[in-house]
Amino acid sequence: MASLIERYDHFIFDCDGVIWRGLEAIPGAVKLLHKLGSLNKGVIYVTNNSSKTKQCLFDKISTTMGVSIKSNKSLYSSGTALADCLKRRMKPGEKVYLIGSRGVADVMDEYGISYIGLGPDLEPCTQPEFKDFVPDPSVKYVVGAFDPHFNYTKMSKAYIYIKECQAEYLVSNLDVLYPLSTDRYLPGTGSLINGLNHALGISPTVMGKPSSSLYDLICSEHTIEDNSRVLMIGDNLSTDIQFGINSGIDTCLVLSGITSREMLIEEGAPKPTYVIDSVADIS
Amino acid sequence: MECALNGRQLGPSLLKLFDTFLVDCDGVLWIQDSAVKGAEAAIRTLRSHNKRVLFVSNNCGKTVEQFQEKFRTLLHLEDVPSRDIINSAVSTAIYLKNKMDLEKERVFVIAQDAFTKTLDSYGIKSFGPGFAEPKAFVDWTTFEVDPSVKYVIVSYDPFFNHTKLTEAYLYLTENNAELLSPDVDQFFSVSSTRKIPGSFCVQAAVSSVLGEDRTPKIMGKPDKFMFDLIQQEHGEMDRERTVMIGDNYKTDMGFGFNCGVSTALVLTGNTKEGDVEGLGRRPDFVLGSIGDIAAE
């Protein structure tokens, strides 16, 4: 597999299930990243985990895992993709109704985007109380991202902003499960948002993987001369591999995360260019 | 299909044709806290003709006692027997009571607390309603999944949040708990101009993590299961002499179609006159209101 390193100049890594699982590095990951760095290869990290700010990712990679990275310019989360898109579109005075974590809010702050809705919210609480809810007229966008405080009240407010106020609806990602540890997964952003999407009867605009808008953003900030020399490495067929396919780049599926060998042959499953057990096999 | 708004002439026909009346409540007998005009008279008329009247509701946010209170205050009916009120919490309780090990097993409930009160009255141990503290992801690594939780119920819960979704997910996967849902309502109409997501949307969140092949067993209308339970409790019914009266096409009329009984749609609730033309399969009768049953 040494030829993979020779064949590509830029390596885009998903994080959860590829470089780390929860708080632990995947064996061999750190060694590979050091090797790529020493060969001056482009290394970019892309996570659909919207609650991580660039600083947070930087700390996890450099401090916790001990991988040296030059700056946080090579770090992308679905949160930063959202913020970048909003920044280009929003007019002064407009606000976002934000379903998201403190991490997403920090990203919004970094980009100077105004929002309401962060944190716990139980007002109104029961269905009949929604009769008197008055939407904020400056809200023109609704953002759906992982939110530990996501609840029925927020789902209903988002619904009202989208249906009654015609707010534009963007989500960070639709990953249904989040890998917590080797034995346990948890419901992710997609599962919560799915309740809202069912009510709306639409599929929202997704800013994270598998949307290629994230790749467009990466290309606008890094010099990538030849798409055929870029490799996307991830553990999730419907987000990571599909992202690579949508972006027109080669893909490498690792089996150290959410995907098992059996899932590869399921009908309609995206086909990766390569399949390996883990990133350790690359070096 | 019988004429919509001149339902008065249908009143006598319904009395002649049917012995058992399955009657929905919200949108038929009352709307929020106001009685539908003529609803009291209609029920009294049915009783005076010795008809069997059973109240069949998907509203599991009220206990049977709370329903009886509403019959008393809004319709002045003092004596509606509790066994004649079957809501989706009751049908769930009957199902569970027949299936569970009541000593060893428990039920996790995402719903309002009327639901757990109903289960409790059948000797079923359950928990879940009320506020649940949001948790950081990392706190879930040490969460111990109680192996006695073998059933999960998912419905409208004003406190539904990520914590409850995650807890349900863990019981459903690590315990392979059975997933039940009392109803499939997609929206709740809070006013004539505003709808918000209903219980189906809460279920959609749970089902999306489990995968498409794992959907809840529906304990309320329109599923025929509720009718089977009603017959279990009240005896076999002659379907040709039974009619379901309701305001919701999808749940009430769907229930009637699925059970093979006759169907009467009223226009005082969920369905308006303008909706009738666009319906697929037609109900047997369309009444302006249940009040049309009252004898002149």
Side-chain angles (χ1 to χ4, degrees):
Chain A
M1 277 291 171
S3 59
L4 275 186
I5 297 185
E6 286 163 10
R7 209 176 293 173
Y8 299 99
D9 298 326
H10 294 270
F11 294 78
I12 305 176
F13 287 95
D14 173 41
C15 300
D16 294 304
V18 180
I19 311 274
W20 58 67
R21 271 192 86 124
L23 299 171
E24 290 172 13
I26 298 268
V30 174
K31 189 173 164 197
L32 170 69
L33 294 168
H34 279 147
K35 182 162 183 175
L36 293 174
S38 71
L39 294 170
N40 278 322
K41 297 287 182 178
V43 177
I44 294 164
Y45 301 86
V46 168
T47 177
N48 261 4
N49 188 334
S50 61
S51 58
K52 300 249 185 286
T53 58
K54 289 201 184 228
Q55 188 58 49
C56 194
L57 278 173
F58 185 91
D59 290 341
K60 188 155 184 177
I61 295 168
S62 64
T63 311
T64 313
M65 291 182 47
V67 178
S68 72
I69 44 172
K70 297 184 186 83
S71 72
N72 61 15
K73 266 184 152 6
S74 55
L75 309 174
Y76 294 86
S77 73
S78 53
T80 60
L82 263 172
D84 183 80
C85 175
L86 286 166
K87 175 102 187 160
R88 289 167 209 252
R89 288 155 68 163
M90 284 176 76
K91 301 190 183 86
E94 290 183 341
K95 292 203 188 97
V96 168
Y97 178 71
L98 179 65
I99 295 177
S101 63
R102 180 71 253 173
V104 169
D106 287 343
V107 174
M108 297 288 151
D109 289 338
E110 264 175 12
Y111 283 72
I113 290 160
S114 299
Y115 54 86
I116 61 167
L118 179 69
D121 187 359
L122 277 169
E123 296 205 15
C125 187
T126 61
Q127 284 165 333
E129 291 165 37
F130 271 91
K131 187 158 146 280
D132 301 322
F133 169 68
V134 179
D136 181 330
S138 63
V139 168
K140 302 293 182 199
Y141 295 86
V142 169
V143 160
F146 178 73
D147 181 356
H149 295 286
F150 181 90
N151 62 6
Y152 184 78
T153 299
K154 290 185 162 196
M155 179 165 70
S156 301
K157 281 185 176 172
Y159 180 83
I160 289 168
Y161 278 119
I162 296 162
K163 271 292 183 184
E164 284 182 26
C165 312
Q166 278 81 52
E168 199 172 332
Y169 177 35
L170 308 172
V171 304
S172 58
N173 60 304
L174 289 173
D175 297 45
V176 159
L177 288 173
Y178 172 80
L180 182 67
S181 67
T182 354
D183 311 309
R184 192 171 268 184
Y185 286 91
L186 296 184
T189 311
S191 59
L192 298 169
I193 302 276
N194 212 36
L196 176 58
N197 296 345
H198 256 268
L200 292 166
I202 60 167
S203 296
T205 305
V206 179
M207 296 311 300
K209 298 172 284 181
S211 170
S212 59
S213 38
L214 193 49
Y215 188 63
D216 295 337
L217 179 60
I218 292 169
C219 289
S220 72
E221 296 182 350
H222 297 265
T223 312
I224 294 179
E225 281 153 0
D226 184 356
N227 273 355
S228 69
R229 291 194 61 85
V230 182
L231 182 67
M232 171 68 205
I233 301 137
D235 69 318
N236 187 316
L237 289 168
S238 60
T239 54
D240 301 321
I241 304 306
Q242 192 61 52
F243 167 72
I245 293 168
N246 291 345
S247 306
I249 59 180
D250 285 350
T251 55
C252 179
L253 179 81
V254 293
L255 299 173
S256 51
I258 202 170
T259 307
S260 62
R261 271 198 195 276
E262 290 73 32
M263 287 154 83
L264 282 169
I265 53 172
E266 276 170 23
E267 203 179 311
K271 299 258 172 289
T273 320
Y274 312 99
V275 179
I276 56 177
D277 287 326
S278 85
V279 293
D281 295 346
I282 295 178
S283 59
Chain B
M1 182 174 68
E2 298 287 349
C3 170
L5 297 176
N6 287 330
R8 228 165 248 286
Q9 69 215 31
L10 296 177
S13 339
L14 291 180
L15 293 171
K16 277 203 191 78
L17 292 168
F18 304 112
D19 302 320
T20 299
F21 289 71
L22 307 175
V23 181
D24 178 40
C25 301
D26 298 293
V28 178
L29 300 175
W30 51 67
I31 293 159
Q32 307 276 14
D33 293 318
S34 307
V36 164
K37 191 172 166 202
E40 179 185 345
I43 304 299
R44 289 193 188 282
T45 302
L46 290 173
R47 284 171 161 191
S48 69
H49 283 76
N50 289 321
K51 303 298 181 185
R52 173 162 51 184
V53 183
L54 300 176
F55 301 99
V56 182
S57 172
N58 270 4
N59 185 343
C60 54
K62 290 196 173 354
T63 59
V64 165
E65 290 73 23
Q66 285 168 321
F67 269 94
Q68 286 171 314
E69 179 63 21
K70 248 184 142 148
F71 279 113
R72 271 194 290 274
T73 52
L74 297 184
L75 300 188
H76 314 110
L77 295 169
E78 293 291 332
D79 53 353
V80 176
S82 56
R83 67 188 293 271
D84 289 357
I85 302 167
I86 304 108
N87 73 352
S88 46
V90 167
S91 59
T92 308
I94 297 172
Y95 172 77
L96 286 172
K97 193 179 164 91
N98 290 336
K99 195 166 181 193
M100 276 176 79
D101 180 333
L102 294 177
E103 287 303 306
K104 295 191 184 135
E105 293 178 334
R106 294 203 298 156
V107 185
F108 177 63
V109 176
I110 297 179
Q112 297 166 90
D113 61 15
F115 207 106
T116 42
K117 287 196 176 109
T118 303
L119 295 182
D120 189 60
S121 68
Y122 283 78
I124 294 160
K125 296 189 205 133
S126 66
F127 66 103
F131 179 69
E133 194 69 45
K135 272 166 126 89
F137 267 149
V138 71
D139 294 335
W140 288 103
T141 42
T142 50
F143 178 79
E144 294 208 8
V145 176
D146 179 346
S148 73
V149 180
K150 294 292 198 205
Y151 298 88
V152 172
I153 292 170
V154 177
S155 179
Y156 161 66
D157 176 352
F159 296 104
F160 172 67
N161 65 1
H162 182 259
T163 302
K164 292 192 177 201
L165 173 61
T166 304
E167 200 170 340
Y169 171 76
L170 292 172
Y171 296 129
L172 289 162
T173 50
E174 295 187 19
N175 288 353
N176 202 27
E178 188 174 348
L179 177 62
L180 307 175
S181 217
D183 63 277
V184 295
D185 295 326
Q186 196 156 1
F187 295 106
F188 184 85
S189 291
V190 296
S191 72
S192 53
T193 48
R194 178 172 281 175
K195 288 192 305 193
I196 54 174
S199 50
F200 182 66
C201 305
V202 175
Q203 291 152 27
V206 173
S207 291
S208 71
V209 234
L210 296 175
E212 276 167 8
D213 53 347
R214 215 162 148 200
T215 50
K217 184 176 173 70
I218 304 300
M219 312 306 296
K221 299 174 285 185
D223 201 286
K224 184 178 158 298
F225 177 75
M226 206 174 187
F227 186 63
D228 295 338
L229 279 182
I230 291 171
Q231 292 197 96
Q232 201 181 292
E233 299 293 295
H234 290 268
E236 187 96 16
M237 285 168 198
D238 181 352
R239 283 159 211 242
E240 294 195 6
R241 305 270 316 161
T242 302
V243 64
M244 172 72 211
I245 304 177
D247 68 310
N248 186 313
Y249 180 78
K250 191 176 165 196
T251 51
D252 298 322
M253 300 302 101
F255 181 65
F257 299 149
N258 288 341
C259 301
V261 304
S262 294
T263 44
L265 181 67
V266 297
L267 302 179
T268 43
N270 201 272
T271 311
K272 303 293 177 222
E273 195 205 332
D275 301 326
V276 172
E277 195 49 46
L279 294 178
R281 180 174 165 183
R282 297 300 167 100
D284 297 305
F285 302 92
V286 177
L287 309 179
S289 137
I290 198 174
D292 299 342
I293 286 176
E296 282 175 325

